[in-house]
Amino acid sequence: MWSVTRHRLLLCLRVFQSGPSHFCSSFVVLSQRVMQRNLVKYFHSARPLSRARIVLGIETSCDDTAAAVVDETGRILGEALHSQKDVHLKTGGIIPPVAQKLHRENIEEVITQAIERSEVSSSELTAIATTVKPGLALSLGVGLEYSLKLVAQFKKPFIPIHHMEAHALMIRMINPVTFPFLVLLVSGGHSILALARGVTDFQLLGQSLDEAPGDTLDKVFRMDRFYHVLQILLHLHNIQLLFTLQNVHTVPLCSVKCLACCLIRIQLWNGIERLSVGQGILHNTEGIQYEPKAPLGSNISEQVKNAAIKLPRLKFTV
């Protein structure tokens, strides 16, 4: 539209400069200088349609450093990742100080690569979204610290991301699911049943009593007899193979090779949804902190537990 308008304006100016007789007869002939000034003023005041809102996302909640640039339609414009898998595999688990050190060494390069691959300038960014809870404290701190520097440098609003909320809303990235809906989250550190009522509105209905399944699996696989199995699983090309063995339907969202890329896309989508509804967007980041342990929404699990759910008696005929 802009290129067409520009072409017509220039053509109009050229025709007028060639002489008033070539202009439409009904057109009031002004002086060439006045007409030229008006057209040039219109030409410079016109602007192309603004681009879609764009968010830079940063993820350092655990052991991988990831960044991506996404627009409000969910399209990934550019992404980058530094995986710590090989380092932690040698120690049989994630050591927080080691993860922190690797995050600090690689976060600048990862973010730079993501922005360069997106071909988006910092001035075109609408906001910066970063995972601030829950997760490993030392890892979250690196991501938040660097993000706040970028927020101050680029003068952009900040969107803090609760990564369990992001997981809960990921289905809306690929399917038109409307609120409210029931969601079961099973991950390395959580096993949660929740009701999603809005982008930032959740009710926690129940959770695991002791350890989440992911924690249990980690401890089992660290045993010597299962260590080789863990290595095999980490090198599977597609995570969907794991669920196919159990006949469980999964959405083909990402591969084991790029689980952190998958996670950053999920976090970014949460940032886009917050941006679209205007919730959780900070223009003043004073006092913002990371939270290693953070509940998901309001906890009504006790009310659910104590609720008197009565079912009618069933009569069977033998």
Side-chain angles (χ1 to χ4, degrees):
M1 179 181 295
W2 168 239
S3 59
V4 173
T5 303
R6 178 179 178 179
H7 175 73
R8 289 177 177 173
L9 284 170
L10 291 175
L11 182 60
C12 179
L13 179 60
R14 192 174 296 116
V15 170
F16 183 84
Q17 288 175 334
S18 64
S21 60
H22 296 287
F23 230 60
C24 177
S25 58
S26 61
F27 191 87
V28 178
V29 180
L30 301 174
S31 69
Q32 182 173 349
R33 181 174 299 177
V34 173
M35 185 60 184
Q36 182 172 344
R37 186 185 304 121
N38 288 340
L39 287 173
V40 170
K41 182 179 179 180
Y42 185 8
F43 175 85
H44 287 293
S45 64
R47 291 291 184 270
L49 294 176
S50 60
R51 293 184 60 174
R53 289 177 291 187
I54 298 173
V55 175
L56 166 65
I58 300 170
E59 158 60 27
T60 62
S61 65
C62 194
D63 58 328
D64 286 337
T65 311
V69 179
V70 65
D71 66 19
E72 59 188 327
T73 67
R75 185 166 60 100
I76 301 295
L77 305 178
E79 60 185 346
L81 164 76
H82 178 268
S83 175
Q84 302 178 8
K85 180 189 69 177
D86 293 337
V87 174
H88 298 302
L89 187 59
K90 294 177 182 178
T91 59
I94 300 170
I95 301 176
V98 175
Q100 180 191 45
K101 178 176 180 292
L102 293 173
H103 281 309
R104 283 178 172 165
E105 290 176 354
N106 295 283
I107 189 169
E108 182 175 359
E109 182 181 355
V110 167
I111 294 174
T112 300
Q113 286 179 358
I115 294 177
E116 288 179 350
R117 291 170 183 173
S118 72
E119 298 183 349
V120 169
S121 66
S122 60
S123 62
E124 294 176 286
L125 294 174
T126 306
I128 296 173
T130 303
T131 307
V132 299
K133 57 184 174 182
L136 297 179
L138 297 179
S139 296
L140 289 171
V142 176
L144 179 59
E145 180 183 6
Y146 198 87
S147 298
L148 294 182
K149 289 181 181 179
L150 294 181
V151 166
Q153 179 182 344
F154 298 156
K155 295 180 173 52
K156 302 294 180 180
F158 182 63
I159 306 177
I161 299 296
H162 187 306
H163 94 253
M164 296 312 295
E165 290 183 3
H167 280 304
L169 297 179
M170 65 166 286
I171 187 63
R172 287 168 52 84
M173 183 169 67
I174 49 180
N175 285 296
V177 178
T178 57
F179 296 110
F181 61 88
L182 196 64
V183 59
L184 174 65
L185 300 176
V186 182
S187 68
H190 300 86
S191 182
I192 294 172
L193 182 65
L195 178 67
R197 303 195 302 176
V199 173
T200 59
D201 185 4
F202 294 85
Q203 287 186 330
L204 177 62
L205 306 180
Q207 57 188 328
S208 55
L209 297 177
D210 39 41
E211 289 187 337
D215 282 336
T216 303
L217 287 173
D218 282 345
K219 291 175 181 178
V220 170
F221 280 125
R222 282 172 189 163
M223 298 171 63
D224 290 340
R225 70 185 69 178
F226 293 111
Y227 188 71
H228 68 285
V229 179
L230 175 62
Q231 289 180 307
I232 294 173
L233 291 179
L234 284 173
H235 287 86
L236 284 176
H237 292 304
N238 197 323
I239 196 172
Q240 197 168 11
L241 293 175
L242 299 174
F243 294 95
T244 302
L245 298 175
Q246 302 296 326
N247 196 29
V248 176
H249 175 69
T250 60
V251 178
L253 194 61
C254 60
S255 66
V256 169
K257 283 187 174 181
C258 200
L259 284 176
C261 288
C262 172
L263 185 58
I264 188 62
R265 293 173 186 179
I266 295 170
Q267 318 298 48
L268 265 172
W269 180 251
N270 185 236
I272 289 293
E273 290 220 282
R274 285 172 176 262
L275 195 63
S276 65
V277 297
Q279 296 178 352
I281 305 170
L282 305 181
H283 295 276
N284 182 0
T285 58
E286 185 178 355
I288 184 71
Q289 295 179 337
Y290 59 85
E291 300 177 43
K293 296 185 180 296
L296 177 64
S298 57
N299 189 345
I300 63 169
S301 56
E302 282 301 314
Q303 293 94 307
V304 173
K305 179 180 176 181
N306 298 328
I309 302 176
K310 297 181 179 180
L311 299 175
R313 289 179 176 272
L314 298 177
K315 296 181 179 180
F316 294 94
T317 302
V318 180

